[in-house]
Amino acid sequence: MSPTADVKTELAAIRDPRPTARVAELTAILRFSGGLHYIAGRVAVEAELESDPLARRVARDIMELYGVRPELHRVQASGGASGRVGGHFAVRVIDGGETLARQTGLLDARRRPVRGLPNKLTTGARHDLAAVWRGAFLAAGALSDPGRSAALEISCPSGEAAMALVGAGHRLGIAAKAREVRGVPRVVVRDGEAIRVALAEMGATRTAQAWEEQRQRREVRAGVNRLVNFDDANLRRSAQAAVAACARVERALEILGDEVPEHLREAGELRLAHRDASLDELGHHADPPLTKDAVAGRIRRLLAMADKKATQDGIPGTDAAVPEGLED
């Protein structure tokens, strides 16, 4: 199966027994897979989903949580803007649709559609926030293979919904950003480690582990290939310097532990997350962006602080972590 199918299969099997989490997941699915429509002057709630099992599960949750019996329809499709070639499944509530929309927070007290997500969801407990992300991914998520262009993306019905999902993600420690791609608001996670965190927080722990193992294998192969193909001595020295620098930074963070200042920790973790990047590229990865000199200065201060503490404690400093043969 594709990475997206693997994730959705694992997520669809999760059944959080907590009522608030079930409501959060269902509301997110409804919001990100269709939402509200007006049919003959009445408010209808509709979700368009990719698989029959997920559609039946959503229908069952609506019945169990709100006592409303939805209609189930198979909708044929042949590609086009929707991108659905094999058709999809619609879960629709017309009778009682407005009541359901109010209960799930898709309509406010004045019968106005909520463009983002209900506030009670984005300010809920951690398991509720995870359920929001799980529901959003089940409805409109995609995951690509590990590599230079790897990404976890969720298509959003509005910019406000994208920002609300980003905010919920940040509370879970998911480094997500809102983007507009070809006119469609999306929430995007690109960093490899951030993708692993997002998968784990949603509950796709098995897929997260498999994806991370595949990513590491590709990085190792890419690193080996780069070294094998280094004909230029300067490139080889640069690669060795990067290995030595990362080894020293890892040792510095180990020596300092909780004593390391946050801005220096961020610079060190940035170095470790992008081992082959230049200082200038590291600066672009920072949030907010930093200059090359600012990144270099912070890493120098991190190493100096760690070496000073190592001397005081009588333990090996950062140079001791550099592999044999890579010392200056």
Side-chain angles (χ1 to χ4, degrees):
M1 290 194 293
S2 68
T4 299
D6 286 340
V7 178
K8 290 189 176 183
T9 298
E10 185 172 3
L11 294 183
I14 296 173
R15 301 291 289 170
D16 193 317
R18 291 167 288 203
T20 56
R22 292 183 66 191
V23 167
E25 181 180 310
L26 176 62
T27 301
I29 289 175
L30 296 176
R31 186 73 184 92
F32 284 81
S33 63
L36 302 179
H37 301 277
Y38 288 90
I39 300 176
R42 293 191 296 172
V43 175
V45 177
E46 184 173 89
E48 295 183 0
L49 303 163
E50 296 174 352
S51 71
D52 180 58
L54 180 58
R56 293 184 182 279
R57 173 183 157 180
V58 169
R60 184 172 65 250
D61 284 345
I62 291 174
M63 287 190 290
E64 292 178 357
L65 292 171
Y66 298 104
V68 178
R69 184 176 294 276
E71 302 172 5
L72 278 173
H73 302 276
R74 181 179 177 87
V75 182
Q76 294 295 335
S78 57
S82 70
R84 294 185 175 98
V85 177
H88 58 285
F89 301 84
V91 181
R92 186 178 300 142
V93 176
I94 300 177
D95 294 331
E98 181 169 339
T99 300
L100 176 62
R102 288 177 181 273
Q103 289 175 322
T104 55
L106 299 178
L107 275 182
D108 66 15
R110 298 183 181 180
R111 300 186 73 243
R112 296 175 303 189
V114 174
R115 289 188 55 80
L117 284 170
N119 187 60
K120 64 181 180 181
L121 296 188
T122 56
T123 57
R126 190 177 184 87
H127 59 267
D128 296 334
L129 297 172
V132 168
W133 264 74
R134 186 163 56 247
F137 191 92
L138 281 168
L143 174 67
S144 62
D145 286 316
R148 293 178 64 86
S149 59
L152 183 153
E153 296 186 351
I154 298 176
S155 300
C156 303
S158 67
E160 291 88 345
M163 293 305 299
L165 191 61
V166 167
H170 285 177
R171 293 188 60 198
L172 288 169
I174 300 173
K177 293 185 178 181
R179 293 280 188 270
E180 188 168 298
V181 182
R182 294 184 291 277
V184 178
R186 299 177 189 270
V187 169
V188 182
V189 183
R190 291 204 177 276
D191 179 76
E193 174 60 16
I195 291 174
R196 186 199 64 77
V197 170
L199 292 172
E201 288 293 341
M202 287 189 291
T205 52
R206 185 179 66 252
T207 307
Q209 181 178 354
W211 194 91
E212 176 65 12
E213 289 174 354
Q214 186 179 0
R215 180 176 76 93
Q216 290 179 356
R217 285 197 299 269
R218 289 194 176 198
E219 288 184 352
V220 169
R221 283 199 301 268
V224 169
N225 289 337
R226 282 195 297 271
L227 288 172
V228 168
N229 295 321
F230 273 166
D231 296 324
D232 190 299
N234 287 330
L235 290 178
R236 187 178 299 277
R237 283 196 294 269
S238 295
Q240 292 173 338
V243 172
C246 289
R248 292 192 67 196
V249 167
E250 286 180 334
R251 176 60 179 161
L253 293 175
E254 178 184 345
I255 292 171
L256 293 173
D258 294 335
E259 298 178 19
V260 59
E262 188 59 28
H263 68 293
L264 300 187
R265 180 188 298 279
E266 290 175 356
E269 290 176 346
L270 201 62
R271 172 76 280 173
L272 297 179
H274 307 280
R275 293 173 179 260
D276 297 329
S278 66
L279 291 173
D280 188 52
E281 290 170 335
L282 288 182
H284 289 298
H285 283 297
D287 187 16
L290 298 171
T291 66
K292 174 176 67 175
D293 291 338
V295 175
R298 292 186 181 187
I299 292 177
R300 279 198 304 271
R301 289 196 295 276
L302 172 67
L303 298 178
M305 182 180 293
D307 284 332
K308 181 178 180 180
K309 186 174 189 300
T311 300
Q312 293 171 346
D313 296 347
I315 59 177
T318 60
D319 286 332
V322 178
E324 185 177 355
L326 296 183
E327 298 90 349
D328 293 338

